[in-house]
Amino acid sequence: MSRSVSLLEELAETDDAINLNRRGYCFFAGSDAGTKALERFGVQASSFGAGPLRRHDGSAGRGLAEYERSPANGFRGPTGLDLVYGPELIQEIYPFVTSKAQVMLHARRCGWLDAQALGRAMLTASGGQVLRGEVVGFDTHQGAVTAVQVQQNDGVAVSLKCDAFVNAAGAWMERVNKLLEAPPLPLKNEVHAKVILNDVQGVIPQTAPFMVWRDQVDLDWEEDMKEFLLELDDTATGGMVNSASWLAKQPGGQHLRPCGNGRVLLLWEHLHRHVPVPEDPEMPISDFLEMYPELCVRGLKEMVPGLGGYVEGLGKDTSVDGGYYTVMPDGRPLVSPHGASNAYVCGGMGTYGLMGSPAAGELLAMHLLQEPLPSYADACLWPRRSVPEEEVIDLLDESS
């Protein structure tokens, strides 16, 4: 990931056409268990090369003297991680965060960017062209792919001769993999849904970072609503509305970030994780949980109490859209030769696909050109090579 961020910074160096920022990711916890988990994560992440871990607890009257605030714009700023202790210091940085927060872990060398601009910049730099259609088959000779058969969206069939083939089809990787008659991959597709909230109440400053609540939450339903949710649940008949489970405590992980023009993105992947995704998923997705915006607001008001004002008053301009996360069981990237002698796979990066794509693409090119590979290449191969158990980091509550 460090390599990938470096490549993004190189791309943004001239005029920052991709609108890259360095506001960081802020993880909050309000429990002793959460505090220990964030401390443990900070130590481990630092040991893996994320940079120094700094602690700020107000001792010796220094307050936040050594804490560097993230710039609202631009991609130059502090690296490493900062642990900030106590609601007083946390609210001095972010006044809108709950006084229940005991600790904040601020990962610094991260933020977000304009995804479409990144795609345009990469396409322009590569000199490539876009062909819109569907891969329907392959020509092979002596175990190598010689051509890819494509049915274009205009109905014209074309055969693309090639020296190598890369399967980077995201949620459709396994479908393409089967067309190539390659060994199966243990990929899993998950619904990735995001709420776009028009923050007319100005609860979240547009200069805020990416913010995550770590601990379990109670969604605080009224009694009559609890009865309604029990009746609404249709999982017994094969439906996707598991509303009875919403009465229990929910695992953490709900998060938000501003997205410009007074809007805020709200996400809580846990809420759709039970939804089965077919091997050949459809786009656009039509089956989001109808109550997903309210559930996100109820979950996130634990971290930002001001969002509670939207529980009963989500506007009609609040919308939901999304796609799919395609993940490997161990969460690591999949960048590897696979199948035919000149075929490769690139994907499985789930939540960090956009951020990791530059380094994944570079690593793939190194495989293709048979160049010396970086030290992290082995961790991305399939079949996997063993990784010591202590390298696995779980940032969230165990119930997640």
Side-chain angles (χ1 to χ4, degrees), residues 41 164 166 172 199 236 274 315 347 367 379:
F41 180 85
V166 179
W172 297 270
D199 186 15
H274 71 288
H367 277 292

Side-chain angles (χ1 to χ4, degrees), residues 317-331:
D317 53 354
T318 300
S319 60
V320 180
D321 71 6
Y324 301 98
Y325 282 147
T326 302
V327 299
M328 291 290 285
D330 58 10

Side-chain angles (χ1 to χ4, degrees), residues 22 41 50 62 71 90 104 208 223 226 244 283 313 365:
R22 179 76 75 77
F41 180 85
R62 294 187 58 79
I90 292 171
M104 175 182 80
E223 286 303 317
K226 290 180 180 179
M283 279 292 286

Side-chain angles (χ1 to χ4, degrees), residues 165-187:
F165 172 73
V166 179
N167 179 359
W172 297 270
M173 285 181 72
E174 187 56 28
R175 174 183 171 185
V176 174
N177 197 51
K178 284 185 175 180
L179 285 174
L180 193 53
E181 298 181 355
L185 296 163
L187 293 164

Side-chain angles (χ1 to χ4, degrees), residues 211-215 251-255 267-269 300 396 400:
M211 310 179 84
V212 186
W213 184 254
R214 180 264 173 202
D215 292 340
Q254 62 272 39
H255 50 283
L267 301 95
W268 202 355
E269 308 304 348
L300 282 163
L396 298 178
S400 302

Side-chain angles (χ1 to χ4, degrees), residues 6-348:
S6 293
L7 289 169
L8 287 170
E9 290 173 347
E10 289 176 17
L11 191 62
E13 192 67 45
T14 50
D15 58 357
D16 194 14
I18 62 174
N19 198 24
L20 183 66
N21 75 49
R22 179 76 75 77
R23 298 187 195 175
Y25 297 167
C26 289
F27 300 87
F28 300 87
S31 65
D32 291 342
T35 298
K36 291 177 181 177
L38 294 184
E39 289 174 333
R40 186 168 61 250
F41 180 85
V43 170
Q44 286 187 296
S46 179
S47 73
F48 292 167
L53 176 64
R54 298 168 291 268
R55 299 173 188 261
H56 314 271
D57 59 7
S59 60
R62 294 187 58 79
L64 294 170
E66 297 175 358
Y67 174 85
E68 184 177 350
R69 296 172 187 264
S70 295
N73 301 300
F75 57 91
R76 295 175 179 84
T79 60
L81 307 102
D82 289 89
L83 277 166
V84 180
Y85 293 90
E88 295 82 7
L89 293 183
I90 292 171
Q91 289 185 325
E92 188 175 333
I93 305 168
Y94 300 117
F96 54 93
V97 170
T98 178
S99 59
K100 296 178 183 178
Q102 293 184 18
V103 66
M104 175 182 80
L105 175 66
H106 194 170
R108 310 309 293 258
R109 196 174 182 227
C110 40
W112 59 92
L113 52 90
D114 183 330
Q116 287 73 28
L118 176 64
R120 287 193 299 270
M122 287 186 163
L123 184 63
T124 300
S126 72
Q129 66 182 93
V130 176
L131 183 67
R132 301 189 185 279
E134 179 182 355
V135 174
V136 294
F138 298 90
D139 293 343
T140 60
H141 180 67
Q142 296 182 346
V145 178
T146 56
V148 181
Q149 304 303 323
V150 175
Q151 185 74 27
Q152 295 185 146
N153 287 357
D154 59 7
V156 176
V158 296
S159 178
L160 305 175
K161 296 186 183 302
C162 64
D163 297 312
F165 172 73
V166 179
N167 179 359
W172 297 270
M173 285 181 72
E174 187 56 28
R175 174 183 171 185
V176 174
N177 197 51
K178 284 185 175 180
L179 285 174
L180 193 53
E181 298 181 355
L185 296 163
L187 293 164
K188 180 184 177 184
N189 290 325
E190 299 175 351
V191 172
H192 167 52
K194 59 180 181 290
V195 177
I196 299 94
L197 171 70
N198 186 17
D199 186 15
V200 294
Q201 298 178 26
V203 176
I204 307 296
Q206 286 294 302
T207 56
F210 182 100
M211 310 179 84
V212 186
W213 184 254
R214 180 264 173 202
D215 292 340
Q216 289 186 334
V217 294
D218 189 322
L219 297 182
D220 195 23
W221 303 104
E222 300 288 342
E223 286 303 317
D224 58 343
M225 193 62 179
K226 290 180 180 179
E227 294 181 13
F228 170 75
L229 293 175
L230 288 171
E231 295 174 2
L232 183 66
D233 194 303
D234 64 1
T235 54
T237 55
M240 63 178 284
V241 182
N242 60 337
S243 51
S245 69
W246 304 341
L247 303 181
K249 283 186 176 294
Q250 303 295 299
Q254 62 272 39
H255 50 283
L256 62 80
R257 73 163 176 87
C259 59
N261 298 318
R263 297 170 302 162
V264 180
L265 293 183
L266 315 178
L267 301 95
W268 202 355
E269 308 304 348
H270 140 76
L271 292 171
H272 282 100
R273 196 154 282 149
H274 71 288
V275 178
V277 178
E279 187 174 288
D280 190 13
E282 295 182 352
M283 279 292 286
I285 300 176
S286 56
D287 292 332
F288 295 115
L289 289 170
E290 187 174 342
M291 289 183 65
Y292 185 55
E294 181 181 344
L295 291 165
C296 284
V297 167
R298 284 182 178 272
L300 282 163
K301 71 183 180 70
E302 186 77 5
M303 176 174 69
V304 181
L307 289 173
Y310 290 111
V311 169
E312 304 295 339
L314 285 168
K316 292 182 179 180
D317 53 354
T318 300
S319 60
V320 180
D321 71 6
Y324 301 98
Y325 282 147
T326 302
V327 299
M328 291 290 285
D330 58 10
R332 282 186 276 148
L334 179 64
V335 184
S336 178
H338 185 70
S341 61
N342 61 342
Y344 302 82
V345 286
C346 183

